[in-house]
Amino acid sequence: TYQVRVETGVEDALENNMTSQYTHSNAFRTSAFPSSTPTSGVFTAVGLRGTNFRSIDNGTSWDNETCQILTDLYGVTSGDNTFVAVGSSGKIIISTDDGSSWDNATAVNSNYLYGVTFGNNTFVAVGSSGTILTSANNGASWSNSSPGGNTLYGVTFGNNIFMAVGDGGRILTSANNGA
């Protein structure tokens, strides 16, 4: 764990020394392991403008991974040795190397995608205008099974049922892999 400290010997552009020492209030950690060698559970997080963070040590430390996708990403999940992230304008990206690198999947439509989950060897993504997309081949291709309607923001899988939730209290369930 590290903290940033600036000593009084530091000078500004006019060669004036700092009057007192400054220590930044937030600490940060670095990983003791190369970013390509997972030591235990791998986690990844995504965000605005393609932000991608990855932990290879069960969340103890996080590395900012290089992601050349400048699209806002809103959801990420993993299954069958594949990470899938979804975002604005129908963006779907896939990683098969523990989140070290990402590839674009073929877009189905341009609707925003807000959530994605994995179950029964199927990825299911949900989004604006009731969008529901499914992939049974690790995200290589996607099918649109959207019933339309209110925006869906979240999706999960349990007890062999996919469940999606959205605007206006909308709750959808599927026992046939999102079809």
Side-chain angles (χ1 to χ4, degrees), residues 75-149:
V76 63
T77 195
S78 66
D80 199 20
N81 298 313
T82 303
F83 282 94
V84 173
V86 298
S88 63
S89 302
K91 178 63 80 179
I92 302 172
I93 59 174
I94 302 165
S95 174
T96 57
D97 60 2
D98 288 325
S100 288
S101 63
W102 295 85
D103 295 312
N104 287 311
T106 303
V108 175
N109 60 41
S110 61
N111 290 342
Y112 277 48
L113 299 171
Y114 296 112
V116 61
T117 195
F118 180 81
N120 280 349
N121 296 314
T122 303
F123 285 96
V124 175
V126 298
S128 62
S129 302
T131 297
I132 299 174
L133 305 178
T134 61
S135 174
N137 59 2
N138 283 345
S141 63
W142 293 80
S143 299
N144 188 345
S145 59
S146 303

Side-chain angles (χ1 to χ4, degrees), residues 1-138:
T1 302
Y2 295 92
Q3 273 192 303
V4 175
R5 176 182 297 152
V6 182
E7 302 284 337
T8 57
V10 172
E11 296 178 346
D12 64 15
L14 299 175
E15 298 181 358
N16 297 313
N17 285 47
M18 287 186 63
T19 56
S20 63
Q21 174 180 296
Y22 170 78
T23 302
H24 193 274
S25 60
N26 294 328
F28 65 94
R29 305 182 105 179
T30 60
S31 175
F33 307 99
S35 65
S36 61
T37 308
T39 59
S40 55
V42 177
F43 295 93
T44 187
V46 297
L48 299 180
R49 291 174 292 289
T51 302
N52 174 26
F53 292 94
R54 184 175 79 125
S55 171
I56 60 172
D57 57 8
N58 274 332
T60 300
S61 64
W62 290 82
D63 296 316
N64 186 357
E65 295 298 314
T66 302
C67 185
Q68 300 302 320
I69 296 153
L70 301 177
T71 302
D72 292 346
L73 299 170
Y74 302 116
V76 63
T77 195
S78 66
D80 199 20
N81 298 313
T82 303
F83 282 94
V84 173
V86 298
S88 63
S89 302
K91 178 63 80 179
I92 302 172
I93 59 174
I94 302 165
S95 174
T96 57
D97 60 2
D98 288 325
S100 288
S101 63
W102 295 85
D103 295 312
N104 287 311
T106 303
V108 175
N109 60 41
S110 61
N111 290 342
Y112 277 48
L113 299 171
Y114 296 112
V116 61
T117 195
F118 180 81
N120 280 349
N121 296 314
T122 303
F123 285 96
V124 175
V126 298
S128 62
S129 302
T131 297
I132 299 174
L133 305 178
T134 61
S135 174
N137 59 2
N138 283 345

